[in-house]
């Protein structure tokens, strides 16, 4: 029973599994096994890129029952911060890094009579682990998986081999589209819907589900935001008595960490609520990028999720209760 | 060194008592001379050797008698153990947590051997030798949660996490301070805490819920809760109120020392791996006033805590009828001297 929540791992294997998608297998360093996890869980990778520390969340896509290694898949994106580029260009077999203990913000709801999984692109990864667990627990599921193309989609062929007709694939370049309306209208009572993919796809599925009369409790989604870049601004930590500049490609959380301070975090994607921080005062406008605070809380300006949210205009200043 | 298990009862003739060693390790809950609700959650990390915090799951001299009492409760009322159908994965997670912890902490009493899903469990004090297939209910004589909790001290609840809340969807509760799993099963975190006075207003449950929803694997936490019980009765359930409620009227200045017990619950919380559920364990420790005042600091402090306790909390804890009698009795152990910070004996 270890009390630690972060461990060192080594990259044991890398593989390009589709255009722009790289799979990594991570094995533990200095301990025999990694904790088991539940389908839908993620880990946060800490990557040391020269003088910069990057921490990004990635869904665990390997078997939840394999304690010898974790697997993640990363899509190369042209995000301004360079996390995915670091994974693609700088990590190699033998590289060592730190990861956090698994956290699940996208768990299976085992009350469901049936599990309807909708994936878009790299959003397939949490479902890989989830389906392995659903299969083992003998829970009925079906997957509908949209991709740009056969070459750009990961794992679809292997998934078909493993799960047969429960895997339905759709390729944009063949003008195939997930028949969402029909799917949502033709499910037995007690079905739960899960969606993970690009933001626009999640919005589409949630809207359609609402219009089709699905109860909110039966609809689950995983929406991580990478912290967006923006204008530089200044934060003041009221309790610590520190003034810190936040660079255009840094989040507030990253700027605080770069200054040598630590604050609690879990998902770093604006979803879990762990880094919720009280605002003492603010000279500018907060750009709320999280999915945690309610619309009313965002409007009041009294709280900010420092992992993804920032100030809109250059030179403005926010005082935080930290 | 092995534990020596006592043979005692928690009903009828009430032969339960604490050895001097058990008194010394009693988890006295008051770190100062007054009491108020707080989010008193701390990491469940190893504490001093010999203390109730030494191991994740504490087994003590009352083990066999506790387990005998639980079996009696379950025989009379099988609904003390309930699990909604979607909690089976969490039940297996609990089997792993308890068997692993018990065998690692007390290897002379418990042994677990695992080869893949083929598990072999030996419980020497209870004379159990069980081979089973992890994940296969048919290979155990009971459902997984009931199987292992008939062999582990403390009540256990399994909380499912969904929709930004926790749901009490399974549990075994036979040593409770006047609450009922049969009543609470399926309730959300705030529903089952609704009867607690004063704590809602100070936001304790909002903060505790947010904390628990983000609890991580490998980082269990604990807190202490307390109440008072007349006679060393583990099963003070609403279902059996007719058997023990009247005990509260039997306290006299002459019998306080033997009848009135401080009841402390060591509550542990763990995130489970496969199910993402949370285990909530509630381990009750009883100590009679005669035993408690053998530690002078505890006698002084409990006297002051009871004297200053807000009436709403005293009522909620069911102490109204005998509180003043107990305060009067404890007064002779309170010389007014200052008490040191913290819970441990001086």
């Amino acid at each position: 029973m270890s009390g630690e929540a972060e461990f060192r791992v080594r990259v044991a294997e890398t593989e390009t599994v589709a255009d722009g998608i790289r799979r990594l297998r991570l094995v533990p360093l200095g301990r025999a096994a990694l904790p088991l996890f539940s389908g839908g869980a993620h880990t946060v990778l800490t990557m040391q890129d020269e003088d910069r520390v990057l921490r990004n969340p990635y869904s665990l896509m390997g078997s939840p029952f394999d304690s010898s290694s974790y697997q993640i898949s990363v899509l190369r994106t042209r995000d301004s911060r360079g996390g995915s580029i670091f994974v693609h260009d700088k990590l190699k077999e033998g590289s060592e890094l730190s990861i956090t203990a698994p956290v699940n913000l996208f768990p299976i709801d085992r009350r469901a009579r049936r599990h309807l999984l909708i994936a878009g692109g790299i959003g397939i990864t949490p479902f890989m682990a989830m389906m392995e667990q659903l299969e083992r627990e003998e829970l009925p599921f079906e997957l509908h998986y949209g991709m740009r193309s056969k070459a750009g989609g990961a794992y679809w062929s292997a998934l078909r081999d493993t799960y047969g007709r429960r895997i339905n694939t759709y390729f944009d370049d063949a003008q195939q589209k997930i028949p969402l309306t029909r799917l949502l209208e033709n499910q037995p009572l007690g079905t739960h819907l899960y969606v993970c993919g690009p933001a626009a796809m999640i919005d589409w599925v949630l809207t359609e589900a609402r219009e089709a009369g699905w109860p909110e409790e039966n609809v689950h989604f995983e929406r991580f935001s990478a912290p967006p870049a923006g204008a530089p601004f200044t934060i003041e930590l009221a309790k610590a008595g520190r003034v810190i500049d936040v660079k255009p490609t840094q989040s507030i959380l990253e700027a605080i960490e770069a200054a040598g301070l630590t604050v609690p975090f879990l998902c770093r994607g604006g979803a879990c609520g762990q880094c919720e921080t009280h605002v003492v005062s603010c000279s500018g406008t907060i750009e709320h990028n999280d999915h945690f605070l309610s619309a009313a809380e965002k409007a009041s300006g009294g709280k900010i999720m420092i992992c993804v949210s920032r100030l809109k205009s250059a030179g403005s200043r926010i005082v935080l209760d930290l | 060194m092995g534990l020596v298990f006592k043979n005692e009862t928690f009903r009828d003739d009430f032969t339960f008592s604490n050895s001097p060693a058990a008194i010394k390790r009693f988890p006295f809950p008051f770190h100062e001379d007054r009491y108020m609700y707080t989010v008193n959650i701390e990491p469940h990390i190893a504490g001093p050797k010999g203390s109730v915090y030494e191991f994740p799951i504490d087994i003590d001299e009352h083990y066999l008698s506790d387990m005998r009492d639980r079996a009696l409760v379950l025989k009379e009322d099988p609904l003390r153990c309930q699990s909604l159908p979607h909690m089976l994965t969490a039940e297996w997670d609990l089997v792993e947590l308890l068997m692993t912890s018990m065998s690692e902490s007390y290897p002379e009493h418990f042994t677990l051997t695992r080869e893949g899903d083929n598990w072999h469990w030996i419980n020497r004090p209870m004379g159990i030798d069980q081979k089973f297939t992890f994940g296969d209910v048919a290979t155990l004589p009971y459902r997984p949660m009931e199987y292992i909790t008939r062999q582990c001290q403390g009540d256990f609840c399994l909380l499912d996490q969904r929709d930004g809340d926790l749901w009490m969807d399974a549990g075994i509760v036979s040593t409770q301070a006047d609450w009922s799993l049969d009543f609470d099963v399926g309730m959300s975190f705030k529903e089952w805490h609704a009867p607690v006075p004063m704590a809602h207003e100070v936001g304790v449950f909002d903060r505790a819920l947010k904390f628990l929803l983000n609890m991580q694997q490998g980082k269990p936490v604990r807190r202490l809760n307390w109440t008072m019980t007349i006679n060393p009765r583990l099963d003070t359930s609403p279902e059996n109120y007719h058997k023990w409620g009247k005990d509260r009227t039997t306290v006299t200045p002459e019998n306080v020392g033997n009848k009135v017990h401080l009841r402390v619950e060591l509550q542990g919380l763990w995130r489970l791996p496969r199910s993402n559920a949370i285990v909530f364990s509630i381990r009750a420790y009883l100590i009679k006033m005669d035993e408690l005042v053998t530690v002078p600091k505890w006698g002084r402090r409990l006297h002051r805590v009871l004297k200053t306790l807000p009436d709403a909390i005293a009522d909620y804890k069911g102490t109204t009828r005998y509180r003043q009698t107990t305060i009067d009795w404890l007064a002779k152990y309170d010389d007014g001297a200052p008490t040191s910070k913290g819970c441990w004996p001086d």
Side-chain angles (χ1 to χ4, degrees):
Chain A
M1 307 247 157
S2 74
E4 64 200 295
E6 199 160 25
F7 0 88
R8 298 288 294 168
V9 293
R10 181 171 54 81
V11 179
E13 187 190 344
T14 67
E15 183 193 4
T16 300
V17 292
D19 290 349
I21 299 180
R22 193 174 200 216
R23 179 180 65 90
L24 303 181
R25 194 162 65 82
L26 310 169
V27 296
L29 278 171
R31 55 190 283 148
L34 294 164
L36 299 183
F37 60 94
S38 50
H42 72 269
T43 183
V44 174
L45 256 65
T46 299
M47 298 167 279
Q48 183 76 44
D49 184 15
E50 288 156 19
D51 60 338
R52 205 158 74 105
V53 177
L54 290 167
R55 289 197 179 87
N56 282 4
Y58 296 105
S59 293
L60 292 166
M61 55 154 279
S63 167
F65 311 106
D66 175 13
S67 61
S68 69
S69 69
Y70 285 165
Q71 297 184 56
I72 59 168
S73 290
V74 179
L75 172 69
R76 176 193 280 272
T77 56
R78 279 170 308 197
D79 67 80
S80 48
R81 301 158 25 82
S84 73
I85 291 166
F86 181 86
V87 171
H88 275 262
D89 295 349
K90 303 213 175 155
L91 284 181
K92 43 185 191 288
E93 283 172 26
S95 298
E96 295 181 4
L97 46 153
S98 291
I99 60 170
T100 60
V103 168
N104 199 340
L105 302 174
F106 191 42
I108 294 171
D109 191 327
R110 289 181 171 76
R111 294 171 309 160
R113 306 283 164 84
R114 182 177 176 77
H115 302 265
L116 175 61
L117 317 178
I118 311 264
I122 195 66
I124 188 65
T125 50
F127 292 127
M128 304 279 289
M130 230 187 243
M131 285 188 286
E132 183 130 354
Q133 196 163 20
L134 290 167
E135 179 80 337
R136 183 165 165 136
E137 296 181 19
E138 298 177 355
L139 298 169
F141 70 88
E142 64 183 59
L143 171 77
H144 296 267
Y145 176 19
M147 294 152 276
R148 259 171 288 174
S149 61
K150 287 191 172 174
Y155 309 115
W156 55 271
S157 177
L159 287 172
R160 276 186 188 170
D161 292 344
T162 307
Y163 299 113
R165 293 174 52 201
R166 288 174 288 176
I167 305 297
N168 303 271
T169 54
Y170 308 87
F171 301 100
D172 293 347
D173 66 352
Q175 279 75 51
Q176 295 168 340
K177 196 178 175 202
I178 297 175
L180 191 60
T181 310
R182 182 176 60 76
L183 285 175
L184 294 179
E185 281 173 355
N186 288 287
Q187 296 298 329
L189 281 179
T191 302
H192 279 240
L193 171 68
Y194 304 76
V195 57
C196 183
M201 180 196 196
I202 295 176
D203 291 338
W204 173 55
V205 174
L206 296 184
T207 305
E208 291 262 337
R210 201 176 305 118
E211 283 171 7
W214 279 64
E216 245 176 70
E217 300 76 26
N218 290 36
V219 179
H220 312 277
F221 57 95
E222 169 110 288
R223 192 189 322 241
F224 277 147
S225 307
F233 58 97
T234 302
I235 57 172
E236 186 182 326
L237 308 184
K239 286 184 193 145
R242 296 278 299 268
V243 176
I244 298 166
D245 289 326
V246 181
K247 296 176 192 157
T249 59
Q250 267 180 329
S251 67
I252 296 176
L253 177 59
E254 287 167 339
I256 292 172
E257 288 171 342
L261 303 169
T262 53
V263 269
F265 69 85
L266 279 181
C267 79
R268 302 182 83 94
C272 74
Q274 184 78 358
C275 70
E276 177 181 328
T277 302
H278 285 276
V279 176
V280 178
S281 66
C282 180
S283 76
T285 310
I286 300 175
E287 178 190 304
H288 290 285
N289 296 310
D290 65 279
H291 312 291
F292 182 80
L293 295 176
S294 67
E297 285 173 318
K298 287 179 182 176
S300 84
K303 293 173 181 176
I304 184 170
M305 309 306 299
I306 57 173
C307 64
V308 290
S309 299
R310 58 191 303 120
L311 297 190
K312 275 193 178 128
S313 43
S316 49
R317 188 182 180 101
I318 187 168
V319 183
L320 300 172
D321 185 26
L322 285 173
Chain B
M1 117 206 132
L3 290 162
V4 178
F5 301 111
K6 297 170 68 182
N7 183 5
E8 56 202 357
T9 58
F10 301 91
R11 55 181 70 208
D12 306 324
D13 57 348
F14 295 113
T15 62
F16 168 88
S17 69
N18 288 296
S19 70
I23 293 173
K24 206 173 146 212
R25 74 197 295 275
F26 187 82
F28 188 75
F30 306 110
H31 65 278
E32 56 185 8
D33 289 350
R34 56 181 293 280
Y35 173 77
M36 186 52 199
Y37 292 118
T38 55
V39 183
N40 56 335
I41 298 175
E42 61 175 6
H44 190 31
I45 50 178
K49 194 169 162 43
S51 75
V52 299
Y53 308 122
E54 182 178 5
F55 299 118
I57 297 291
D58 181 46
I59 302 295
D60 68 11
E61 65 184 21
H62 310 297
Y63 175 65
L64 287 177
S65 301
D66 267 15
M67 293 300 95
R68 209 158 33 232
D69 198 68
R70 164 158 293 161
L72 289 171
V73 172
L74 288 171
K75 195 174 170 196
E76 288 168 7
D77 185 0
L79 291 179
R80 301 302 184 85
C81 177
Q82 296 191 44
S83 179
L84 300 183
H86 61 276
M87 298 304 285
L88 186 58
T89 302
E91 289 193 39
W92 285 111
D93 276 332
L94 181 66
V95 167
E96 178 183 56
L97 174 71
L98 297 186
M99 285 188 179
T100 304
S101 174
M102 289 165 76
S103 59
E104 285 177 359
S105 306
Y106 305 95
E108 65 277 42
H109 298 305
F110 310 102
T111 303
L112 176 66
T113 316
R114 300 167 59 158
E115 278 172 35
D117 287 337
N118 296 316
W119 291 33
H120 183 190
W121 168 247
I122 301 171
N123 177 338
R124 289 179 199 85
M126 291 181 74
I128 291 170
D129 186 312
Q130 179 78 44
K131 289 181 174 146
F132 65 99
T133 306
F134 187 86
D136 183 353
V137 176
T139 60
L140 284 176
Y142 298 98
R143 299 260 301 184
M145 175 182 68
E146 181 170 357
Y147 177 77
I148 191 56
T149 57
R150 279 176 176 269
Q151 302 177 48
C152 187
Q153 286 172 282
D155 288 344
F156 292 88
C157 300
L158 296 175
L159 315 181
D160 195 25
Q161 181 162 338
R162 55 176 197 270
D163 307 331
D165 210 333
L166 295 171
W167 306 81
M168 191 174 291
D169 286 348
I172 181 159
V173 177
S174 70
T175 65
Q176 67 268 52
D178 203 8
W179 72 280
S180 164
L181 175 74
D182 189 35
F183 187 76
D184 285 1
V185 72
M187 283 190 186
S188 70
F189 187 80
K190 285 186 185 162
E191 282 176 311
W192 84 70
H193 283 112
V196 183
M198 297 171 81
H200 294 271
E201 290 78 356
V202 292
V204 162
F205 295 118
D206 290 318
R207 289 201 299 279
L209 176 60
K210 184 184 163 188
F211 177 87
L212 295 176
L213 289 172
N214 280 335
M215 216 175 76
Q216 281 178 281
Q217 268 194 71
K219 291 180 105 175
V221 296
R222 66 178 172 235
R223 68 180 287 262
L224 293 178
N225 195 10
W226 70 278
T227 187
M228 302 192 82
T229 302
I230 304 309
N231 297 326
R233 192 189 289 275
L234 283 176
D235 174 24
T236 46
S237 58
E239 287 89 340
N240 278 334
Y241 186 77
H242 58 287
K243 293 182 185 165
W244 58 267
K246 58 182 185 280
D247 292 354
R248 291 171 172 173
T249 65
T250 63
V251 178
T252 65
E254 293 70 40
N255 65 20
V256 166
N258 189 46
K259 262 196 185 283
V260 177
H261 288 69
L262 178 64
R263 178 193 193 98
V264 175
E265 294 176 350
L266 170 54
Q267 304 180 342
L269 292 140
W270 286 260
R271 172 74 66 192
L272 293 173
R274 298 166 186 82
S275 58
N276 199 46
I278 289 177
V279 186
F280 177 42
S281 69
I282 311 149
R283 169 68 187 282
Y285 296 85
L286 292 166
I287 189 169
K288 66 176 74 173
M289 291 299 107
D290 278 341
E291 292 170 347
L292 185 125
V293 298
T294 62
V295 178
K297 172 179 166 183
W298 292 353
R300 287 186 189 104
R301 180 163 289 171
L302 183 60
H303 176 243
R304 297 168 196 180
V305 166
L306 289 182
K307 250 170 56 174
T308 57
L309 193 64
D311 288 343
I313 297 177
D315 288 347
Y316 173 67
K317 291 183 184 290
T319 64
T320 313
R321 278 179 174 274
Y322 56 87
R323 179 181 174 195
Q324 193 56 49
T325 314
T326 307
I327 292 169
D328 295 344
W329 187 89
L330 282 168
K332 46 184 188 287
Y333 298 94
D334 186 359
D335 54 8
T339 52
S340 60
K341 276 269 164 210
C343 300
W344 299 107
D346 285 323

